[in-house]
Amino acid sequence: MITILDQLQQQRVLPVIQIENLDCALPLAEILINHGFSIMEITLRSDIALEAIRRIKKEYPQSVLSAGTVLTPEQVNAADQAGTDFIISPGFNPVTFNYACDSSIFMIPGINSPSDIEQAMQQGATVLKFFPAEASGGVAMVKSLTAPYRDIRFIPTGGINLGNLSDYLDIPQVIACGGTWLATTEELNQYQWDKIEDKIRNTRQFLNNLINK
Ligand code: 3PG
């Protein structure tokens, strides 16, 4: 069976979507899916995020959706009911993480220090979002963390773009990198679809070149 992690490992980039206008949801999802990014994270940072998840899942059942910025058990429930396939949080909150585990909902919690990692490991987490990646020491920090925590897999997110992406992806313990660079909130608010599609296409091309290197 192909798991979400297998799919993420294959996709290598997790588009993070901070959407404020509901009418951007389906056009953006369509562009992402057409360029091979069917796994995407929609952050719960706006009132319409859950409805965006509902609509994308209904229109594109093949999409694999994550709710991001999930901070409480209530949000775990809401995201699950909206149709998300998994959940991501910026930090490690044992209450929220254990709630998701008890509800059989796959969750990737965030960390940015050895102490966070050890707490997350103690609760059984093995795949962690490293956030905010660039502000927390970037590639050098991820490399340092992989030395003592060999079995942990990381999804660095925060400050990543095509300029530093391959440095992260070169680290064997990095499954994928997340980021908003493919479609920023500002670009979405201004309906800059040509620009957004160009960036998504460039990212696909960049990843294809990395694979063929
Ligand atoms: C997130 O929620 O994961 C981050 O805000 C993404 O960070 P970025 O905007 O720097 O990519």
Side-chain angles (χ1 to χ4, degrees):
M1 194 184 88
I2 296 182
T3 64
I4 288 172
L5 288 179
D6 293 334
Q7 286 176 274
L8 255 180
Q9 174 102 52
Q10 225 169 22
Q11 189 167 292
R12 306 245 69 193
V13 162
L14 176 65
V16 176
I17 302 169
Q18 294 174 15
I19 199 170
E20 291 175 345
N21 292 326
L22 203 44
D23 54 358
C24 291
L26 294 182
L28 177 58
E30 184 179 347
I31 298 173
L32 284 169
I33 291 167
N34 284 345
H35 289 88
F37 297 102
S38 21
I39 315 176
M40 55 192 93
E41 172 184 338
I42 294 110
T43 65
L44 300 193
R45 294 192 205 167
S46 72
D47 296 344
I48 54 96
L50 287 171
E51 183 55 25
I53 289 169
R54 260 181 229 111
R55 291 194 188 182
I56 295 171
K57 198 65 189 179
K58 187 164 177 240
E59 188 72 20
Y60 303 104
Q62 76 273 35
S63 61
V64 180
L65 302 185
S66 163
T69 323
V70 173
L71 306 178
T72 64
E74 290 74 24
Q75 286 181 316
V76 171
N77 271 337
D80 186 46
Q81 280 161 20
T84 45
D85 298 282
F86 66 114
I87 279 171
I88 299 182
S89 61
F92 180 71
N93 176 336
V95 174
T96 308
F97 182 73
N98 288 332
Y99 182 84
C101 292
D102 290 347
S103 311
S104 303
I105 297 168
F106 179 49
M107 176 163 180
I108 300 175
I111 52 85
N112 80 340
S113 72
S115 305
D116 288 352
I117 294 177
E118 290 187 26
Q119 286 191 58
M121 284 170 68
Q122 198 178 32
Q123 303 300 325
T126 54
V127 181
L128 303 170
K129 170 174 177 165
F130 175 60
F131 178 79
E134 281 292 289
S136 303
V139 170
M141 181 67 163
V142 181
K143 284 185 179 161
S144 303
L145 291 172
T146 59
Y149 308 113
R150 292 177 184 194
D151 296 331
I152 296 294
R153 298 289 174 268
F154 295 94
I155 303 179
T157 306
I160 297 179
N161 51 49
L162 289 189
N164 54 13
L165 177 63
S166 62
D167 295 337
Y168 284 97
L169 292 181
D170 278 348
I171 303 170
Q173 289 88 345
V174 168
I175 288 182
C177 288
T180 58
W181 81 85
L182 299 101
T184 66
T185 310
E186 197 181 24
E187 289 157 357
L188 288 167
N189 285 345
Q190 293 171 4
Y191 302 99
Q192 294 185 18
W193 294 117
D194 288 346
K195 183 174 180 190
I196 290 169
E197 183 152 18
D198 272 355
K199 290 200 298 175
I200 294 172
R201 190 183 297 111
N202 287 345
T203 302
R204 165 57 47 216
Q205 191 59 49
F206 186 91
L207 291 171
N208 287 348
N209 291 344
L210 271 191
I211 291 163
N212 297 326
K213 213 164 66 173

